Structure formats: C-alpha cells, structure tokens
Amino acid sequence: MQIREMTESDWPQVWPFFQEIVRAGETYAYPLDLTSEQARELWTKPAPGRTVVLEDDGIVLGSAAMGPNRPGRGSHVGTASFMVSPQARGRGVGRRLGEHVVQWHRDSGYRAIQFNAVVETNTAAVVLWRSLGFEIIGTVPEAFDSRAHGLVGLHVMHLPLEPFSAG
C-alpha cells in the first residue's frame, strides 16, 4: 500500500466510494444529489492543501483531503477529511491515512489539527482519532441527521502538534 498525491485520473476510482459513503447518510453532510464534478471540486484541495489516495496494486482504497481549517489568521490549524472504500474497511487504510495526515501537518508547520464534524455515532472513526491522540473538545448536539440514528451530535476533535506559547 502506498499513499500519494491524488491525480485527475484517480477520480473515477474515488467517485464510486465517495458517492456510496455520502448516500449512506452516516458520516458526511454533503448534499445527496452531488454530481461527480461537484464532488470532485469539494474533495480536491488546492495548495496549500493537499488531497491524497492510498492505493494497493493500482486500486484506490481510500482518500484524504487536508489543509488549513480556516484562512488567514486561522491557517496555523489544519483539518482533514477521510473516505475509505467500504470494500477496504478493516485493512488499516483509515489508520494509514490518519497517520499520514498528522505527519503532513507536522511537517508543514501547523500548530494543531481540528476536525470540525466527527459524527458521534461513527464510533470507528472516533476510536481511530482518539488512538492517534485527538481529544473531543466539544459536541454540538443534534447537529447531524443520521439516516440510521436520527439527530445525533457532531464532535469537534483536536490534536495539538506543538506546545502553545503565550505571546
């Protein structure tokens, strides 16, 4: 398995699992009727961001999009989004992408990573992010309309990357 920059030619492999995950209605608040082009625009991050894929023998198993959480004076805190093909779950794809994203943010000089909207019922993701050092710093009640669970909370998760100093 290798992680590399996503190219235009990867999108035809990413789009089917992107669409399946969004339509499942459990983890992303994207519109259900996105076209492939609209989805690609949402997912592909221009510099200073980055979008990567994890592939195995030419098959894309997952993707991560990362970059600054906010522009300007908030750009020292990063964020990221992840999608793993349902057929690849349980193979360590999410962990490998998560570790890559944390290291990329460190190497790029970010002070922290903030996930703005981790669905509280997405327990696999919550466990993974906690194992990588993220903490839940708050939960917005009933902020996500889960297809299976109804209104559930969205966790804000945070990982400091270096000590904060006053001044």
Coordinates of all heavy atoms in Angstrom, one line a residue, residues 12-90:
P12 N -12.1 8.7 -11.1 CA -13.0 7.6 -11.4 C -13.0 6.5 -10.4 O -14.0 5.8 -10.3 CB -12.6 7.2 -12.8 CG -11.9 8.4 -13.4 CD -11.2 9.0 -12.2
Q13 N -11.9 6.3 -9.7 CA -11.9 5.2 -8.6 C -12.5 5.8 -7.3 O -13.0 5.0 -6.5 CB -10.5 4.7 -8.4 CG -10.1 3.7 -9.5 CD -8.8 3.0 -9.1 OE1 -8.9 2.2 -8.2 NE2 -7.7 3.3 -9.8
V14 N -12.2 7.1 -7.0 CA -12.7 7.7 -5.8 C -14.2 7.9 -5.8 O -14.9 7.7 -4.8 CB -11.9 9.0 -5.5 CG1 -12.5 9.7 -4.3 CG2 -10.4 8.7 -5.3
W15 N -14.7 8.4 -6.9 CA -16.1 8.8 -7.0 C -17.1 7.7 -6.6 O -18.0 8.0 -5.8 CB -16.4 9.3 -8.4 CG -17.9 9.5 -8.8 CD1 -18.6 8.9 -9.8 CD2 -18.8 10.3 -8.1 NE1 -19.9 9.3 -9.7 CE2 -20.0 10.2 -8.7 CE3 -18.7 11.2 -7.0 CZ2 -21.2 10.9 -8.3 CZ3 -19.9 11.9 -6.6 CH2 -21.1 11.7 -7.3
P16 N -16.9 6.4 -7.0 CA -17.9 5.4 -6.5 C -18.0 5.3 -5.0 O -19.1 5.2 -4.4 CB -17.5 4.1 -7.2 CG -16.7 4.6 -8.4 CD -16.0 5.9 -7.9
F17 N -16.9 5.3 -4.3 CA -17.0 5.1 -2.8 C -17.3 6.5 -2.2 O -18.0 6.5 -1.2 CB -15.8 4.4 -2.2 CG -14.5 5.1 -2.3 CD1 -14.1 6.1 -1.4 CD2 -13.5 4.6 -3.1 CE1 -12.8 6.6 -1.4 CE2 -12.2 5.1 -3.2 CZ -11.9 6.1 -2.3
F18 N -16.9 7.6 -2.8 CA -17.4 8.9 -2.3 C -18.9 8.9 -2.3 O -19.6 9.3 -1.3 CB -16.8 10.0 -3.1 CG -17.2 11.4 -2.7 CD1 -16.3 12.2 -2.1 CD2 -18.4 11.9 -3.0 CE1 -16.6 13.5 -1.7 CE2 -18.8 13.2 -2.7 CZ -17.8 14.0 -2.0
Q19 N -19.5 8.6 -3.4 CA -20.9 8.6 -3.6 C -21.6 7.7 -2.7 O -22.6 8.0 -2.0 CB -21.2 8.3 -5.1 CG -22.7 8.4 -5.4 CD -22.9 8.2 -6.9 OE1 -22.3 7.3 -7.5 NE2 -23.8 8.9 -7.5
E20 N -21.1 6.5 -2.5 CA -21.7 5.5 -1.6 C -21.7 5.9 -0.2 O -22.7 5.8 0.5 CB -20.9 4.1 -1.8 CG -21.5 3.0 -0.9 CD -20.8 1.7 -1.1 OE1 -20.0 1.6 -2.1 OE2 -21.0 0.8 -0.3
I21 N -20.6 6.5 0.2 CA -20.5 7.0 1.6 C -21.4 8.1 1.9 O -22.1 8.2 2.9 CB -19.0 7.4 1.9 CG1 -18.1 6.1 2.0 CG2 -18.9 8.2 3.2 CD1 -16.6 6.3 1.9
V22 N -21.5 9.1 1.0 CA -22.3 10.3 1.2 C -23.8 9.8 1.2 O -24.6 10.2 2.0 CB -22.1 11.3 0.1 CG1 -23.2 12.4 0.1 CG2 -20.7 12.0 0.3
R23 N -24.2 8.9 0.2 CA -25.6 8.5 0.2 C -26.0 7.6 1.3 O -27.2 7.5 1.7 CB -25.8 7.8 -1.2 CG -25.8 8.7 -2.3 CD -26.3 8.1 -3.6 NE -26.4 9.1 -4.6 CZ -26.5 8.8 -5.9 NH1 -26.5 7.6 -6.3 NH2 -26.7 9.8 -6.8
A24 N -25.0 7.0 2.0 CA -25.3 6.2 3.2 C -25.9 7.1 4.3 O -26.7 6.6 5.2 CB -24.1 5.4 3.7
G25 N -25.5 8.3 4.3 CA -26.1 9.3 5.3 C -25.7 9.1 6.7 O -26.4 9.5 7.6
E26 N -24.4 8.6 6.9 CA -24.0 8.4 8.3 C -22.8 9.2 8.7 O -22.5 9.3 9.9 CB -23.7 6.9 8.5 CG -24.9 6.0 8.4 CD -26.0 6.4 9.3 OE1 -25.7 6.7 10.5 OE2 -27.2 6.3 8.9
T27 N -22.0 9.8 7.8 CA -20.8 10.4 8.1 C -20.5 11.8 7.5 O -19.7 12.6 8.0 CB -19.6 9.5 7.8 OG1 -19.6 9.2 6.4 CG2 -19.6 8.3 8.7
Y28 N -21.2 12.1 6.4 CA -20.9 13.4 5.7 C -22.2 14.1 5.5 O -23.2 13.5 5.1 CB -20.2 13.2 4.4 CG -18.7 13.0 4.6 CD1 -18.2 11.7 4.7 CD2 -17.9 14.1 4.6 CE1 -16.8 11.5 4.9 CE2 -16.5 13.9 4.8 CZ -16.0 12.6 5.0 OH -14.7 12.4 5.2
A29 N -22.2 15.4 5.7 CA -23.4 16.3 5.5 C -23.4 16.9 4.1 O -23.9 18.0 3.9 CB -23.4 17.4 6.5
Y30 N -22.8 16.2 3.1 CA -22.8 16.7 1.7 C -24.2 16.5 1.2 O -24.9 15.5 1.5 CB -21.8 16.0 0.9 CG -20.3 16.3 1.2 CD1 -19.4 15.3 1.0 CD2 -19.9 17.5 1.6 CE1 -18.0 15.6 1.3 CE2 -18.6 17.8 1.8 CZ -17.6 16.8 1.7 OH -16.3 17.1 1.9
P31 N -24.6 17.3 0.2 CA -25.9 17.1 -0.5 C -25.9 15.7 -1.2 O -24.8 15.2 -1.7 CB -25.9 18.2 -1.5 CG -25.0 19.2 -1.1 CD -23.9 18.5 -0.3
L32 N -27.0 15.0 -1.1 CA -27.1 13.6 -1.7 C -27.1 13.6 -3.2 O -26.8 12.6 -3.8 CB -28.3 12.9 -1.2 CG -28.4 12.7 0.3 CD1 -29.7 12.1 0.7 CD2 -27.2 11.9 0.8
D33 N -27.4 14.8 -3.8 CA -27.5 14.8 -5.3 C -26.3 15.4 -6.0 O -26.4 15.9 -7.1 CB -28.8 15.6 -5.7 CG -28.8 17.0 -5.2 OD1 -27.9 17.4 -4.4 OD2 -29.7 17.8 -5.6
L34 N -25.1 15.4 -5.3 CA -23.9 15.9 -5.9 C -23.6 15.2 -7.2 O -23.7 14.0 -7.3 CB -22.7 15.7 -5.0 CG -22.6 16.6 -3.8 CD1 -21.4 16.2 -2.9 CD2 -22.4 18.1 -4.2
T35 N -23.2 15.9 -8.2 CA -22.7 15.3 -9.5 C -21.2 14.9 -9.2 O -20.6 15.4 -8.2 CB -22.7 16.3 -10.7 OG1 -21.8 17.4 -10.4 CG2 -24.1 16.8 -10.9
S36 N -20.7 14.1 -10.0 CA -19.3 13.7 -9.9 C -18.4 15.0 -9.9 O -17.5 15.1 -9.1 CB -18.9 12.8 -11.0 OG -17.5 12.5 -11.0
E37 N -18.7 15.9 -10.8 CA -17.8 17.1 -10.9 C -17.9 18.0 -9.6 O -16.9 18.5 -9.1 CB -18.3 17.9 -12.1 CG -17.4 19.2 -12.3 CD -16.0 18.9 -12.6 OE1 -15.6 17.9 -13.1 OE2 -15.2 19.8 -12.3
Q38 N -19.1 18.1 -9.1 CA -19.3 18.9 -7.8 C -18.6 18.2 -6.7 O -17.9 18.9 -5.9 CB -20.8 19.0 -7.5 CG -21.6 19.9 -8.4 CD -23.1 19.8 -8.2 OE1 -23.6 18.7 -7.9 NE2 -23.8 20.9 -8.4
A39 N -18.7 16.9 -6.6 CA -18.0 16.2 -5.5 C -16.5 16.3 -5.7 O -15.8 16.5 -4.7 CB -18.4 14.7 -5.6
R40 N -16.0 16.2 -6.9 CA -14.5 16.3 -7.1 C -14.1 17.7 -6.7 O -13.0 17.9 -6.0 CB -14.2 16.1 -8.5 CG -12.6 16.0 -8.8 CD -12.3 15.7 -10.2 NE -12.9 16.7 -11.1 CZ -12.4 17.9 -11.3 NH1 -11.4 18.3 -10.7 NH2 -13.0 18.7 -12.2
E41 N -14.8 18.8 -7.0 CA -14.5 20.1 -6.5 C -14.5 20.2 -5.0 O -13.6 20.9 -4.5 CB -15.5 21.1 -7.1 CG -15.3 21.4 -8.6 CD -14.0 22.2 -8.9 OE1 -13.7 23.1 -8.1 OE2 -13.3 21.8 -9.8
L42 N -15.4 19.6 -4.3 CA -15.4 19.6 -2.9 C -14.2 18.9 -2.3 O -13.7 19.3 -1.3 CB -16.7 19.0 -2.3 CG -18.0 19.8 -2.3 CD1 -19.2 18.9 -2.0 CD2 -17.9 20.9 -1.3
W43 N -13.9 17.8 -2.9 CA -12.9 16.9 -2.3 C -11.4 17.3 -2.6 O -10.6 17.1 -1.8 CB -13.1 15.5 -2.7 CG -12.4 14.5 -1.9 CD1 -11.3 13.7 -2.3 CD2 -12.6 14.1 -0.6 NE1 -10.9 12.9 -1.3 CE2 -11.7 13.2 -0.2 CE3 -13.6 14.6 0.4 CZ2 -11.6 12.6 1.1 CZ3 -13.5 14.0 1.7 CH2 -12.6 13.1 2.0
T44 N -11.2 17.8 -3.7 CA -9.8 18.1 -4.2 C -9.4 19.5 -3.6 O -10.0 20.5 -3.9 CB -9.8 18.1 -5.7 OG1 -10.3 16.9 -6.2 CG2 -8.3 18.3 -6.2
K45 N -8.4 19.5 -2.8 CA -7.9 20.7 -2.1 C -6.7 21.3 -2.9 O -5.7 20.7 -3.0 CB -7.5 20.4 -0.7 CG -8.6 19.8 0.2 CD -9.7 20.7 0.3 CE -10.8 20.1 1.1 NZ -12.1 20.6 0.9
P46 N -6.9 22.6 -3.3 CA -5.7 23.3 -3.9 C -4.7 23.6 -2.8 O -5.0 23.7 -1.6 CB -6.4 24.5 -4.5 CG -7.5 24.8 -3.6 CD -8.0 23.4 -3.2
A47 N -3.5 24.0 -3.2 CA -2.4 24.4 -2.3 C -3.0 25.7 -1.6 O -3.7 26.5 -2.1 CB -1.2 24.8 -3.1
P48 N -2.7 25.8 -0.3 CA -1.7 25.0 0.5 C -2.2 23.6 0.9 O -1.5 22.9 1.7 CB -1.4 25.9 1.6 CG -2.7 26.6 1.9 CD -3.3 26.8 0.6
G49 N -3.4 23.3 0.6 CA -4.0 22.0 0.9 C -3.4 20.9 0.0 O -2.6 21.1 -0.8
R50 N -3.9 19.7 0.3 CA -3.4 18.5 -0.4 C -4.5 17.4 -0.4 O -5.2 17.3 0.6 CB -2.1 18.0 0.3 CG -1.5 16.9 -0.3 CD -0.2 16.6 0.4 NE 0.6 15.6 -0.3 CZ 1.1 14.5 0.2 NH1 1.0 14.3 1.5 NH2 1.8 13.7 -0.6
T51 N -4.6 16.7 -1.4 CA -5.5 15.5 -1.5 C -4.7 14.3 -1.9 O -3.9 14.4 -2.9 CB -6.7 15.7 -2.4 OG1 -7.4 16.9 -2.0 CG2 -7.7 14.6 -2.3
V52 N -4.8 13.2 -1.1 CA -4.0 12.0 -1.4 C -4.9 10.8 -1.6 O -6.1 10.9 -1.2 CB -3.0 11.7 -0.3 CG1 -2.0 12.9 -0.1 CG2 -3.7 11.5 1.0
V53 N -4.4 9.8 -2.1 CA -5.1 8.5 -2.2 C -4.1 7.4 -1.6 O -2.9 7.6 -1.6 CB -5.5 8.1 -3.6 CG1 -6.5 9.0 -4.2 CG2 -4.3 8.0 -4.6
L54 N -4.7 6.4 -1.1 CA -4.0 5.2 -0.7 C -4.4 4.1 -1.7 O -5.6 3.9 -1.8 CB -4.3 4.8 0.8 CG -3.5 3.6 1.3 CD1 -3.3 3.8 2.8 CD2 -4.2 2.3 1.0
E55 N -3.4 3.6 -2.3 CA -3.6 2.6 -3.3 C -2.9 1.3 -3.0 O -1.8 1.3 -2.4 CB -3.4 3.1 -4.7 CG -1.9 3.2 -5.0 CD -1.6 3.6 -6.5 OE1 -2.5 3.6 -7.3 OE2 -0.4 3.8 -6.8
D56 N -3.4 0.2 -3.5 CA -2.7 -1.1 -3.4 C -2.9 -1.8 -4.8 O -4.0 -2.0 -5.2 CB -3.4 -1.9 -2.3 CG -2.6 -3.2 -2.0 OD1 -1.4 -3.3 -2.2 OD2 -3.3 -4.1 -1.4
D57 N -1.8 -2.0 -5.4 CA -1.7 -2.7 -6.7 C -2.6 -1.9 -7.7 O -3.4 -2.5 -8.5 CB -2.2 -4.1 -6.7 CG -1.1 -5.0 -6.0 OD1 0.1 -4.7 -6.1 OD2 -1.5 -6.0 -5.3
G58 N -2.6 -0.6 -7.7 CA -3.3 0.2 -8.6 C -4.7 0.5 -8.3 O -5.4 1.2 -9.0
I59 N -5.2 -0.1 -7.2 CA -6.6 0.1 -6.8 C -6.6 1.1 -5.6 O -6.0 0.9 -4.6 CB -7.3 -1.2 -6.4 CG1 -7.3 -2.1 -7.6 CG2 -8.7 -1.0 -5.8 CD1 -7.8 -3.5 -7.3
V60 N -7.4 2.2 -5.8 CA -7.6 3.2 -4.8 C -8.5 2.7 -3.7 O -9.7 2.3 -4.0 CB -8.1 4.5 -5.4 CG1 -8.3 5.5 -4.3 CG2 -7.1 5.1 -6.4
L61 N -8.0 2.6 -2.5 CA -8.7 2.1 -1.3 C -9.3 3.2 -0.4 O -10.2 2.9 0.4 CB -7.9 1.1 -0.5 CG -7.2 0.0 -1.2 CD1 -6.4 -0.8 -0.3 CD2 -8.3 -0.9 -1.9
G62 N -8.7 4.4 -0.5 CA -9.2 5.5 0.3 C -8.5 6.8 -0.1 O -7.6 6.8 -0.9
S63 N -9.0 7.9 0.5 CA -8.5 9.2 0.1 C -8.6 10.1 1.3 O -9.5 9.9 2.2 CB -9.3 9.8 -1.0 OG -8.8 11.0 -1.4
A64 N -7.8 11.1 1.4 CA -7.8 12.1 2.4 C -7.5 13.5 1.8 O -6.7 13.6 0.9 CB -6.8 11.8 3.5
A65 N -8.3 14.4 2.3 CA -8.1 15.8 1.9 C -7.7 16.6 3.1 O -8.3 16.5 4.2 CB -9.4 16.3 1.3
M66 N -6.7 17.5 3.0 CA -6.2 18.2 4.2 C -5.7 19.6 3.8 O -5.5 19.9 2.6 CB -5.0 17.4 4.8 CG -3.8 17.3 3.8 SD -2.8 15.8 4.1 CE -3.7 14.6 3.0
G67 N -5.6 20.4 4.8 CA -5.1 21.7 4.6 C -5.5 22.6 5.8 O -6.0 22.1 6.9
P68 N -5.5 23.9 5.6 CA -5.8 24.8 6.7 C -7.3 24.7 7.1 O -8.1 24.6 6.2 CB -5.5 26.2 6.2 CG -5.2 26.1 4.8 CD -5.0 24.6 4.5
N69 N -7.6 24.8 8.4 CA -9.0 24.7 8.8 C -9.7 26.0 8.4 O -10.9 26.0 8.1 CB -9.1 24.5 10.3 CG -10.5 24.2 10.8 OD1 -11.2 23.5 10.2 ND2 -10.9 24.8 11.9
R70 N -9.0 27.1 8.6 CA -9.6 28.5 8.3 C -8.5 29.2 7.5 O -7.3 29.0 7.7 CB -9.9 29.2 9.6 CG -10.9 28.5 10.5 CD -12.2 28.2 10.0 NE -12.9 29.4 9.6 CZ -13.9 29.5 8.7 NH1 -14.4 28.4 8.3 NH2 -14.4 30.6 8.4
P71 N -8.9 30.2 6.8 CA -7.9 31.0 6.0 C -7.3 32.1 7.0 O -7.7 32.3 8.1 CB -8.8 31.7 4.9 CG -10.2 31.8 5.5 CD -10.3 30.6 6.4
G72 N -6.3 32.8 6.5 CA -5.8 33.9 7.2 C -5.2 33.6 8.6 O -4.4 32.7 8.7
R73 N -5.8 34.3 9.6 CA -5.2 34.2 10.9 C -5.6 32.9 11.6 O -5.2 32.6 12.7 CB -5.7 35.4 11.7 CG -5.1 36.7 11.1 CD -5.3 37.9 12.0 NE -4.6 37.8 13.2 CZ -3.3 38.0 13.4 NH1 -2.5 38.2 12.4 NH2 -2.7 37.9 14.6
G74 N -6.4 32.0 10.9 CA -6.7 30.7 11.5 C -6.0 29.6 10.7 O -6.2 28.4 11.0
S75 N -5.1 30.0 9.8 CA -4.5 29.0 8.9 C -3.4 28.2 9.6 O -2.8 27.3 8.9 CB -3.9 29.7 7.6 OG -2.9 30.6 8.0
H76 N -3.0 28.4 10.8 CA -2.0 27.7 11.5 C -2.6 26.4 12.1 O -1.9 25.5 12.6 CB -1.3 28.5 12.6 CG -2.3 29.0 13.6 ND1 -3.2 30.0 13.4 CD2 -2.5 28.6 14.9 CE1 -4.0 30.2 14.5 NE2 -3.6 29.3 15.4
V77 N -3.9 26.2 12.0 CA -4.6 25.0 12.5 C -5.1 24.3 11.2 O -5.8 24.9 10.4 CB -5.7 25.3 13.4 CG1 -6.5 24.0 13.8 CG2 -5.2 26.0 14.7
G78 N -4.8 23.0 11.1 CA -5.2 22.3 10.0 C -6.5 21.5 10.2 O -7.0 21.4 11.3
T79 N -6.9 20.9 9.1 CA -8.1 20.0 9.2 C -8.0 18.9 8.1 O -7.1 19.0 7.3 CB -9.4 20.8 9.1 OG1 -10.5 19.9 9.5 CG2 -9.7 21.2 7.7
A80 N -8.8 17.9 8.2 CA -8.8 16.9 7.1 C -10.1 16.2 7.1 O -10.9 16.2 8.0 CB -7.6 15.9 7.4
S81 N -10.3 15.5 6.0 CA -11.5 14.7 5.8 C -11.0 13.4 5.2 O -10.0 13.4 4.4 CB -12.5 15.3 4.8 OG -13.0 16.5 5.4
F82 N -11.7 12.3 5.4 CA -11.2 10.9 5.0 C -12.4 10.2 4.5 O -13.5 10.2 5.0 CB -10.7 10.2 6.3 CG -9.6 10.9 7.0 CD1 -9.8 11.9 7.9 CD2 -8.3 10.5 6.7 CE1 -8.8 12.5 8.6 CE2 -7.2 11.2 7.4 CZ -7.5 12.1 8.3
M83 N -12.1 9.3 3.5 CA -13.0 8.4 2.9 C -12.3 7.1 2.6 O -11.2 7.1 2.0 CB -13.8 8.9 1.7 CG -14.7 10.0 2.0 SD -16.0 10.1 0.7 CE -16.9 11.5 1.3
V84 N -12.8 6.0 3.1 CA -12.3 4.7 2.9 C -13.3 3.9 2.1 O -14.5 3.8 2.6 CB -11.8 4.0 4.2 CG1 -11.4 2.6 3.9 CG2 -10.7 4.8 4.9
S85 N -12.9 3.2 1.1 CA -13.8 2.4 0.3 C -14.4 1.4 1.3 O -13.7 0.7 2.0 CB -13.1 1.7 -0.8 OG -13.9 0.7 -1.4
P86 N -15.8 1.2 1.3 CA -16.4 0.2 2.1 C -15.7 -1.2 1.9 O -15.6 -2.0 2.9 CB -17.8 0.2 1.7 CG -18.1 1.6 1.3 CD -16.8 2.0 0.6
Q87 N -15.3 -1.5 0.7 CA -14.7 -2.8 0.5 C -13.3 -2.9 1.1 O -12.7 -4.0 1.2 CB -14.6 -3.1 -1.0 CG -15.9 -3.3 -1.7 CD -16.7 -2.0 -1.9 OE1 -16.2 -0.9 -2.0 NE2 -18.0 -2.2 -1.8
A88 N -12.7 -1.8 1.5 CA -11.3 -1.9 2.1 C -11.4 -1.7 3.6 O -10.3 -1.7 4.3 CB -10.5 -0.8 1.5
R89 N -12.5 -1.6 4.3 CA -12.6 -1.3 5.7 C -12.0 -2.5 6.4 O -12.1 -3.7 6.0 CB -14.0 -1.1 6.1 CG -14.5 0.3 5.6 CD -15.6 0.8 6.3 NE -16.0 2.1 5.7 CZ -17.1 2.4 5.2 NH1 -18.1 1.6 5.3 NH2 -17.3 3.6 4.6
G90 N -11.3 -2.2 7.6 CA -10.7 -3.3 8.4 C -9.3 -3.7 7.9 O -8.7 -4.6 8.4

